[in-house]
Amino acid sequence: MSSLQAQIEEHGERIFDLVDRHPESIFSKAGVYQRMMALSMRDEHFKVQMFRFVDVLASLRRSGDIVQHLEEYFADMRNGFAPAIHTGVRLARVVPWLSSIVLRRNVSGMARQFIAGKNPDDVMKTLRKRRQQNIGFTVDLLGEAVVSEKEAGAYAARCLELLEHLARETRGWTDSLGKNSELFPVVNLSVKISALYSQMNPADPADAIAHLAPKLRPILRRARELGAFINFDMESYTHKNTTLELFKTLCTEAEFNDWPHAGIVIQAYLRDAEKDLRDLIEWGRTRGTRFTVRLVKGAYWDYEKIKSRQNGWDCPVYLQKPESDVNYEALTRVLLENESIVTAAFGSHNVRSIAHAQALAEELGIDRSRFEFQFLYGMAGPIKRALVEMGYRVREYCPVGELLPGMSYLVQRLLENTSNEGFLRAKFSEHVSAAQLLRDPSELVTCDGGTPAVTSAEIKNRHQGNGASLAMPPDDIYENSPLVNFVYKESQEKMQAALRDVRNRFGRKFPLVINGEKIWTNKLTPSVNPSAPNEIVGYAAEAGIPEAERAVKAARAAFGKWSRTSFEERAQLLERAAAILDRRRYELSALEVFEVGKPWAEADGDIREAIDFCHFYAHRMRLIGRPRLTQQVPGEESYQHYWPRGVALVIAPWNFPMAILCGMVSAALVTGNTVIMKPSEQSLNIGAMLMEIFEEAGVPPGVLNFLSGRGSVIGAHLVDHKDVDLIAFTGSREVGLRIWESAGKTREGQRELKHVICEMGGKNAMIVDSDADLDEAIVDSIYSAFGYQGQKCSALSRLIVLEENYDRVMERLLNAAASLRVGNPEAPGIMVGPVIDEAAYRRILEYINIGKSEATLAYQAKDLPPQGYFIPPTIFTGVKPDMRIAREEIFGPVLSVLKVRDLDEAIEVANGTDYALTGGFFSRSPGNIERVKAQLEAGNVYINRSCTGAIVGRHPFGGFKMSGGGTKAGGEDYLLHFLLPRVVTENIMRHGFAPEETPQYRDEFLCRR
């Protein structure tokens, strides 16, 4: 055993000895609360339901609603607590008003366990008690998620008011230890950076700092005047780099450069925490002034894991708790070895981590008065008392806020208390021995439960794949490609470079491609930048009827060989195209920014979707490509397989210019059809680039032909053509219905009944229930309505709000809309850019004028760029279901809000249009959620999330009614629409003899010459 380990055990056993002298449950509150917590640690389902009920309770106003939710959450319980729960539910139905009082009182008691006070006056009662126990404080303001600049300004004002109040009420207070007290001001305020700016975007840290710094300077200035301390809290990984840069920027300014009473948090569960800490220390030495680091394990572990898996990113946190503990100890050493410039505040409830810091400080000769230990209010009381008795400085993290905005914090603390791996649970509930609790955490790291620790040298080379995880799934499992993670500076710089490169190539000319030949015509169609219509992004040759005829002839001639090419070869073509798309994704994203006005993340999402379509359809073709036995029948074999339909005409829109075009083209190609590809007239350059990509991937001549030109000319001609067997269309209802009608007519010489895959628009609705989490509902509604200027067929057009919640929703919704960043999407972090062209610009303005005559204009943005096709985000209220703005697709940043009595009316209104594409519902009522799942008429129904952003394979996309023919792009059955089923039956009995069993699959029926 090392001498340090021996000292750790000695310190740890001393702490445990003092803790055991004053035994206390992990939960200081007794009675029902303690029993519920104990049960939640034994029953995961009960824990989830209880915490969800706690989360929603504060938003429920009526006693009947509380009883309804209680029943919905707990009626199906089948554990030891079930009889009591069921009895409680029955009683609650009889006397709902009394039940609601009892429930609120119990949840309030739970909240008081972890929330130090509901306001500044209230928290002072707690702080005075703690002062008598020689425990200091840092106060944190709880609140709803900030969704608008009005709310951000209110948070900044509350911070200043709280700072003044604390300074006034603690006048005359002194540090509990006395020694080195100049390092530890009595008044200590923790500030959440995300609460000071509602439009933080990881791709644009400069914008965030430009908005955050003016709000923080008055707080820092007043803190310095009052002799107080300000701590920059660390939140999710998304904002980590911006928070670090903001801290260094402000503290290097002349006004604060010599001020030592500012601190920041480092989260040990992050793999790059050591690099960040060493960078901070190097910065601090250059600055020449002391600063503080609060070292914590991290509170967003589950969130970070979930988000990284959803987006295909390398997980930023360690996957095993012992790994975080090991890193915590490594960071503790870094802090203490640099004690001359940085003051350490160790935030942990883990006695092993605490004892390690104590023992290491002694080994390095650092006096115990030069660092402190921090704990969460309401937790680990016996450990706090033990450390005070041992002569260490102890500070409590004290949240202040009302019950409703404090719910998310309360649930977070409850989860932490009941975690299977939590130290407090192990010590105080499961009574694990001191020897086990004081073991070196490096001994507990397993090879199969997580990933190896990462050295600081390795960190420099992480994130080479756009922040993507390099782990590959098994061959038989499809997995989406990752999004670019713009958290990383490297990704931001690559995008900026791509934008410069693409701009330098403005004016490039693209030919038609027919039968592998580059074809130029006497007319070029320009494609303009909608943010600056005087800029021509590029040109494409314009096809006429003669070129359309050549393309059909070439596709028909190439069909025979391509249709008999093995599905494996065709799948490999798609995979090669996907690899090229991935290699060129920044270039292609930059082109979308210029040609169709997509913001950075939206453009990258479109390229990612194109890559996904290629991989997914290749994967699906391998699953359906081999002939499959229909039944096991003695003496006969019948195999079903598929033939391609023939020549496919693909007509794509401009709003997802690469994804939708590539999706329809790749589906047609992999199924053995030959293709005439016609991109939208507004996104010709992107279509031409896709042709280049497939040529580089090795598509044979004539198998894919690129035609650009007017839909009214070549599009109409090809739709009616007798030799076009299949039409895949995505676009407007008007054009889609015309294609559908035309395809139903049989022309002279036509060999096949034309098959149409038709995906059209939507008039999508989202319903906000009376118990909805407005932090989520507002953010997701704003994004769904105004992301990419509302130019998505899935975009939110009608927000349906129950009257009980209407006023609260509208106040926050209008303020959130007023905070949106509108501008040229070439700049990072822009959410609302230009609409696609002048025709769209005029049409949307006409609809806005219609809305002004029909309803009430509740909000319209005013500050718009002076040039470009920019439409102000617009919200109408007082909208009725029969108004034009509530029935007709606008395809722009215009949102109609409809107020309804109840959920019955909400569903009726939502279903009362010609369309059925996407729909959404925000609620925390399990019963209402199930009802909407069953009744909402939409091809894609989204619960408690945005109604846009379908991911290939995960959310097969498409609608019905006037939104489409019921096909699902990115779904398991999508390829079947490009195929004709065929069955081959053979009598395999000869003179009464037959094989006993026929194989389930066989090789393709291919001519082998």
Side-chain angles (χ1 to χ4, degrees), residues 494-516:
K494 284 182 179 179
M495 187 65 182
Q496 294 282 14
L499 288 164
R500 290 192 297 270
D501 291 345
V502 170
R503 178 173 280 282
N504 288 336
R505 296 201 300 270
F506 272 14
R508 184 180 173 190
K509 298 177 176 64
F510 294 94
L512 312 176
V513 180
I514 301 173
N515 203 28

PDB file of all heavy atoms in Angstrom, residues 494-516:
ATOM      1  N   LYS A 494     -13.429  24.745 -39.702  1.00  0.00           N
ATOM      2  CA  LYS A 494     -13.628  24.046 -40.970  1.00  0.00           C
ATOM      3  C   LYS A 494     -14.811  24.637 -41.736  1.00  0.00           C
ATOM      4  O   LYS A 494     -14.764  24.789 -42.961  1.00  0.00           O
ATOM      5  CB  LYS A 494     -13.851  22.560 -40.729  1.00  0.00           C
ATOM      6  CG  LYS A 494     -12.591  21.769 -40.391  1.00  0.00           C
ATOM      7  CD  LYS A 494     -12.917  20.305 -40.221  1.00  0.00           C
ATOM      8  CE  LYS A 494     -11.685  19.471 -39.912  1.00  0.00           C
ATOM      9  NZ  LYS A 494     -12.025  18.048 -39.725  1.00  0.00           N
ATOM     10  N   MET A 495     -15.882  24.981 -41.012  1.00  0.00           N
ATOM     11  CA  MET A 495     -17.050  25.541 -41.670  1.00  0.00           C
ATOM     12  C   MET A 495     -16.739  26.937 -42.217  1.00  0.00           C
ATOM     13  O   MET A 495     -17.140  27.280 -43.344  1.00  0.00           O
ATOM     14  CB  MET A 495     -18.226  25.588 -40.694  1.00  0.00           C
ATOM     15  CG  MET A 495     -19.540  25.994 -41.332  1.00  0.00           C
ATOM     16  SD  MET A 495     -20.114  24.784 -42.556  1.00  0.00           S
ATOM     17  CE  MET A 495     -21.601  25.601 -43.127  1.00  0.00           C
ATOM     18  N   GLN A 496     -16.031  27.732 -41.432  1.00  0.00           N
ATOM     19  CA  GLN A 496     -15.655  29.075 -41.898  1.00  0.00           C
ATOM     20  C   GLN A 496     -14.785  28.981 -43.147  1.00  0.00           C
ATOM     21  O   GLN A 496     -14.963  29.741 -44.106  1.00  0.00           O
ATOM     22  CB  GLN A 496     -14.904  29.820 -40.784  1.00  0.00           C
ATOM     23  CG  GLN A 496     -15.746  30.140 -39.553  1.00  0.00           C
ATOM     24  CD  GLN A 496     -16.670  31.333 -39.744  1.00  0.00           C
ATOM     25  OE1 GLN A 496     -16.892  31.795 -40.865  1.00  0.00           O
ATOM     26  NE2 GLN A 496     -17.213  31.837 -38.646  1.00  0.00           N
ATOM     27  N   ALA A 497     -13.841  28.043 -43.145  1.00  0.00           N
ATOM     28  CA  ALA A 497     -12.968  27.874 -44.309  1.00  0.00           C
ATOM     29  C   ALA A 497     -13.766  27.433 -45.530  1.00  0.00           C
ATOM     30  O   ALA A 497     -13.526  27.900 -46.660  1.00  0.00           O
ATOM     31  CB  ALA A 497     -11.871  26.858 -43.992  1.00  0.00           C
ATOM     32  N   ALA A 498     -14.730  26.530 -45.328  1.00  0.00           N
ATOM     33  CA  ALA A 498     -15.558  26.060 -46.441  1.00  0.00           C
ATOM     34  C   ALA A 498     -16.388  27.197 -47.017  1.00  0.00           C
ATOM     35  O   ALA A 498     -16.551  27.302 -48.243  1.00  0.00           O
ATOM     36  CB  ALA A 498     -16.459  24.928 -45.971  1.00  0.00           C
ATOM     37  N   LEU A 499     -16.900  28.061 -46.161  1.00  0.00           N
ATOM     38  CA  LEU A 499     -17.673  29.212 -46.637  1.00  0.00           C
ATOM     39  C   LEU A 499     -16.801  30.124 -47.500  1.00  0.00           C
ATOM     40  O   LEU A 499     -17.243  30.615 -48.552  1.00  0.00           O
ATOM     41  CB  LEU A 499     -18.262  29.983 -45.458  1.00  0.00           C
ATOM     42  CG  LEU A 499     -19.417  29.294 -44.718  1.00  0.00           C
ATOM     43  CD1 LEU A 499     -19.646  29.937 -43.359  1.00  0.00           C
ATOM     44  CD2 LEU A 499     -20.699  29.339 -45.541  1.00  0.00           C
ATOM     45  N   ARG A 500     -15.579  30.346 -47.065  1.00  0.00           N
ATOM     46  CA  ARG A 500     -14.667  31.184 -47.864  1.00  0.00           C
ATOM     47  C   ARG A 500     -14.367  30.522 -49.210  1.00  0.00           C
ATOM     48  O   ARG A 500     -14.383  31.185 -50.258  1.00  0.00           O
ATOM     49  CB  ARG A 500     -13.364  31.430 -47.091  1.00  0.00           C
ATOM     50  CG  ARG A 500     -13.516  32.338 -45.878  1.00  0.00           C
ATOM     51  CD  ARG A 500     -12.167  32.765 -45.333  1.00  0.00           C
ATOM     52  NE  ARG A 500     -11.382  31.629 -44.843  1.00  0.00           N
ATOM     53  CZ  ARG A 500     -11.430  31.172 -43.592  1.00  0.00           C
ATOM     54  NH1 ARG A 500     -12.230  31.754 -42.708  1.00  0.00           N
ATOM     55  NH2 ARG A 500     -10.679  30.156 -43.230  1.00  0.00           N
ATOM     56  N   ASP A 501     -14.110  29.227 -49.184  1.00  0.00           N
ATOM     57  CA  ASP A 501     -13.773  28.517 -50.418  1.00  0.00           C
ATOM     58  C   ASP A 501     -14.930  28.530 -51.405  1.00  0.00           C
ATOM     59  O   ASP A 501     -14.739  28.758 -52.611  1.00  0.00           O
ATOM     60  CB  ASP A 501     -13.377  27.071 -50.102  1.00  0.00           C
ATOM     61  CG  ASP A 501     -12.051  26.982 -49.368  1.00  0.00           C
ATOM     62  OD1 ASP A 501     -11.311  27.985 -49.358  1.00  0.00           O
ATOM     63  OD2 ASP A 501     -11.761  25.911 -48.795  1.00  0.00           O
ATOM     64  N   VAL A 502     -16.140  28.259 -50.910  1.00  0.00           N
ATOM     65  CA  VAL A 502     -17.306  28.243 -51.802  1.00  0.00           C
ATOM     66  C   VAL A 502     -17.564  29.633 -52.365  1.00  0.00           C
ATOM     67  O   VAL A 502     -17.867  29.795 -53.555  1.00  0.00           O
ATOM     68  CB  VAL A 502     -18.540  27.692 -51.065  1.00  0.00           C
ATOM     69  CG1 VAL A 502     -19.801  27.892 -51.900  1.00  0.00           C
ATOM     70  CG2 VAL A 502     -18.358  26.213 -50.736  1.00  0.00           C
ATOM     71  N   ARG A 503     -17.430  30.662 -51.532  1.00  0.00           N
ATOM     72  CA  ARG A 503     -17.633  32.034 -52.024  1.00  0.00           C
ATOM     73  C   ARG A 503     -16.627  32.366 -53.118  1.00  0.00           C
ATOM     74  O   ARG A 503     -16.967  33.043 -54.100  1.00  0.00           O
ATOM     75  CB  ARG A 503     -17.526  33.019 -50.860  1.00  0.00           C
ATOM     76  CG  ARG A 503     -17.684  34.475 -51.273  1.00  0.00           C
ATOM     77  CD  ARG A 503     -17.731  35.407 -50.083  1.00  0.00           C
ATOM     78  NE  ARG A 503     -19.046  35.430 -49.463  1.00  0.00           N
ATOM     79  CZ  ARG A 503     -20.087  36.088 -49.940  1.00  0.00           C
ATOM     80  NH1 ARG A 503     -19.992  36.766 -51.076  1.00  0.00           N
ATOM     81  NH2 ARG A 503     -21.242  36.076 -49.314  1.00  0.00           N
ATOM     82  N   ASN A 504     -15.418  31.884 -52.962  1.00  0.00           N
ATOM     83  CA  ASN A 504     -14.393  32.158 -53.977  1.00  0.00           C
ATOM     84  C   ASN A 504     -14.701  31.472 -55.305  1.00  0.00           C
ATOM     85  O   ASN A 504     -14.124  31.839 -56.333  1.00  0.00           O
ATOM     86  CB  ASN A 504     -13.019  31.704 -53.472  1.00  0.00           C
ATOM     87  CG  ASN A 504     -12.480  32.606 -52.374  1.00  0.00           C
ATOM     88  OD1 ASN A 504     -12.865  33.766 -52.278  1.00  0.00           O
ATOM     89  ND2 ASN A 504     -11.600  32.075 -51.548  1.00  0.00           N
ATOM     90  N   ARG A 505     -15.602  30.465 -55.280  1.00  0.00           N
ATOM     91  CA  ARG A 505     -15.954  29.759 -56.514  1.00  0.00           C
ATOM     92  C   ARG A 505     -17.318  30.184 -57.057  1.00  0.00           C
ATOM     93  O   ARG A 505     -17.889  29.504 -57.911  1.00  0.00           O
ATOM     94  CB  ARG A 505     -15.939  28.239 -56.280  1.00  0.00           C
ATOM     95  CG  ARG A 505     -14.562  27.698 -55.926  1.00  0.00           C
ATOM     96  CD  ARG A 505     -14.477  26.193 -56.197  1.00  0.00           C
ATOM     97  NE  ARG A 505     -15.453  25.437 -55.427  1.00  0.00           N
ATOM     98  CZ  ARG A 505     -15.231  24.947 -54.212  1.00  0.00           C
ATOM     99  NH1 ARG A 505     -14.075  25.167 -53.606  1.00  0.00           N
ATOM    100  NH2 ARG A 505     -16.158  24.249 -53.586  1.00  0.00           N
ATOM    101  N   PHE A 506     -17.852  31.291 -56.541  1.00  0.00           N
ATOM    102  CA  PHE A 506     -19.132  31.800 -57.062  1.00  0.00           C
ATOM    103  C   PHE A 506     -19.028  31.975 -58.584  1.00  0.00           C
ATOM    104  O   PHE A 506     -17.998  32.393 -59.119  1.00  0.00           O
ATOM    105  CB  PHE A 506     -19.464  33.150 -56.437  1.00  0.00           C
ATOM    106  CG  PHE A 506     -20.235  33.059 -55.143  1.00  0.00           C
ATOM    107  CD1 PHE A 506     -20.344  31.867 -54.455  1.00  0.00           C
ATOM    108  CD2 PHE A 506     -20.836  34.184 -54.595  1.00  0.00           C
ATOM    109  CE1 PHE A 506     -21.044  31.783 -53.270  1.00  0.00           C
ATOM    110  CE2 PHE A 506     -21.540  34.109 -53.407  1.00  0.00           C
ATOM    111  CZ  PHE A 506     -21.645  32.910 -52.737  1.00  0.00           C
ATOM    112  N   GLY A 507     -20.124  31.660 -59.251  1.00  0.00           N
ATOM    113  CA  GLY A 507     -20.173  31.829 -60.695  1.00  0.00           C
ATOM    114  C   GLY A 507     -19.815  30.587 -61.476  1.00  0.00           C
ATOM    115  O   GLY A 507     -19.812  30.604 -62.715  1.00  0.00           O
ATOM    116  N   ARG A 508     -19.537  29.487 -60.793  1.00  0.00           N
ATOM    117  CA  ARG A 508     -19.200  28.238 -61.479  1.00  0.00           C
ATOM    118  C   ARG A 508     -20.379  27.776 -62.336  1.00  0.00           C
ATOM    119  O   ARG A 508     -21.543  27.950 -61.963  1.00  0.00           O
ATOM    120  CB  ARG A 508     -18.836  27.177 -60.449  1.00  0.00           C
ATOM    121  CG  ARG A 508     -18.372  25.863 -61.042  1.00  0.00           C
ATOM    122  CD  ARG A 508     -18.039  24.856 -59.960  1.00  0.00           C
ATOM    123  NE  ARG A 508     -17.749  23.552 -60.536  1.00  0.00           N
ATOM    124  CZ  ARG A 508     -17.605  22.439 -59.817  1.00  0.00           C
ATOM    125  NH1 ARG A 508     -17.725  22.490 -58.499  1.00  0.00           N
ATOM    126  NH2 ARG A 508     -17.342  21.292 -60.417  1.00  0.00           N
ATOM    127  N   LYS A 509     -20.072  27.167 -63.473  1.00  0.00           N
ATOM    128  CA  LYS A 509     -21.105  26.716 -64.407  1.00  0.00           C
ATOM    129  C   LYS A 509     -21.147  25.190 -64.442  1.00  0.00           C
ATOM    130  O   LYS A 509     -20.098  24.531 -64.486  1.00  0.00           O
ATOM    131  CB  LYS A 509     -20.844  27.272 -65.799  1.00  0.00           C
ATOM    132  CG  LYS A 509     -20.874  28.795 -65.872  1.00  0.00           C
ATOM    133  CD  LYS A 509     -20.528  29.281 -67.271  1.00  0.00           C
ATOM    134  CE  LYS A 509     -20.643  30.801 -67.360  1.00  0.00           C
ATOM    135  NZ  LYS A 509     -19.681  31.505 -66.484  1.00  0.00           N
ATOM    136  N   PHE A 510     -22.367  24.632 -64.432  1.00  0.00           N
ATOM    137  CA  PHE A 510     -22.552  23.177 -64.433  1.00  0.00           C
ATOM    138  C   PHE A 510     -23.325  22.751 -65.672  1.00  0.00           C
ATOM    139  O   PHE A 510     -24.354  23.353 -66.014  1.00  0.00           O
ATOM    140  CB  PHE A 510     -23.326  22.729 -63.192  1.00  0.00           C
ATOM    141  CG  PHE A 510     -22.583  22.937 -61.898  1.00  0.00           C
ATOM    142  CD1 PHE A 510     -22.776  24.090 -61.147  1.00  0.00           C
ATOM    143  CD2 PHE A 510     -21.683  21.983 -61.443  1.00  0.00           C
ATOM    144  CE1 PHE A 510     -22.094  24.274 -59.963  1.00  0.00           C
ATOM    145  CE2 PHE A 510     -21.002  22.162 -60.248  1.00  0.00           C
ATOM    146  CZ  PHE A 510     -21.203  23.314 -59.512  1.00  0.00           C
ATOM    147  N   PRO A 511     -22.882  21.692 -66.353  1.00  0.00           N
ATOM    148  CA  PRO A 511     -23.601  21.197 -67.527  1.00  0.00           C
ATOM    149  C   PRO A 511     -24.688  20.204 -67.142  1.00  0.00           C
ATOM    150  O   PRO A 511     -24.751  19.732 -66.006  1.00  0.00           O
ATOM    151  CB  PRO A 511     -22.497  20.488 -68.319  1.00  0.00           C
ATOM    152  CG  PRO A 511     -21.598  19.932 -67.243  1.00  0.00           C
ATOM    153  CD  PRO A 511     -21.624  20.952 -66.115  1.00  0.00           C
ATOM    154  N   LEU A 512     -25.525  19.868 -68.087  1.00  0.00           N
ATOM    155  CA  LEU A 512     -26.386  18.702 -67.954  1.00  0.00           C
ATOM    156  C   LEU A 512     -25.507  17.461 -68.079  1.00  0.00           C
ATOM    157  O   LEU A 512     -24.403  17.511 -68.645  1.00  0.00           O
ATOM    158  CB  LEU A 512     -27.453  18.681 -69.051  1.00  0.00           C
ATOM    159  CG  LEU A 512     -28.246  19.967 -69.299  1.00  0.00           C
ATOM    160  CD1 LEU A 512     -29.178  19.775 -70.490  1.00  0.00           C
ATOM    161  CD2 LEU A 512     -29.013  20.366 -68.053  1.00  0.00           C
ATOM    162  N   VAL A 513     -25.970  16.339 -67.567  1.00  0.00           N
ATOM    163  CA  VAL A 513     -25.256  15.076 -67.743  1.00  0.00           C
ATOM    164  C   VAL A 513     -26.273  14.046 -68.246  1.00  0.00           C
ATOM    165  O   VAL A 513     -27.222  13.701 -67.536  1.00  0.00           O
ATOM    166  CB  VAL A 513     -24.600  14.585 -66.439  1.00  0.00           C
ATOM    167  CG1 VAL A 513     -23.877  13.253 -66.688  1.00  0.00           C
ATOM    168  CG2 VAL A 513     -23.624  15.622 -65.899  1.00  0.00           C
ATOM    169  N   ILE A 514     -26.069  13.599 -69.484  1.00  0.00           N
ATOM    170  CA  ILE A 514     -26.963  12.623 -70.103  1.00  0.00           C
ATOM    171  C   ILE A 514     -26.117  11.497 -70.685  1.00  0.00           C
ATOM    172  O   ILE A 514     -25.201  11.755 -71.479  1.00  0.00           O
ATOM    173  CB  ILE A 514     -27.820  13.271 -71.212  1.00  0.00           C
ATOM    174  CG1 ILE A 514     -28.656  14.429 -70.645  1.00  0.00           C
ATOM    175  CG2 ILE A 514     -28.731  12.232 -71.864  1.00  0.00           C
ATOM    176  CD1 ILE A 514     -29.414  15.227 -71.697  1.00  0.00           C
ATOM    177  N   ASN A 515     -26.397  10.283 -70.241  1.00  0.00           N
ATOM    178  CA  ASN A 515     -25.652   9.112 -70.703  1.00  0.00           C
ATOM    179  C   ASN A 515     -24.151   9.258 -70.464  1.00  0.00           C
ATOM    180  O   ASN A 515     -23.336   8.827 -71.272  1.00  0.00           O
ATOM    181  CB  ASN A 515     -25.936   8.849 -72.190  1.00  0.00           C
ATOM    182  CG  ASN A 515     -25.663   7.409 -72.565  1.00  0.00           C
ATOM    183  OD1 ASN A 515     -25.766   6.501 -71.732  1.00  0.00           O
ATOM    184  ND2 ASN A 515     -25.296   7.171 -73.815  1.00  0.00           N
ATOM    185  N   GLY A 516     -23.802   9.923 -69.362  1.00  0.00           N
ATOM    186  CA  GLY A 516     -22.400  10.104 -69.020  1.00  0.00           C
ATOM    187  C   GLY A 516     -21.723  11.254 -69.724  1.00  0.00           C
ATOM    188  O   GLY A 516     -20.542  11.529 -69.483  1.00  0.00           O
TER     189      GLY A 516
END
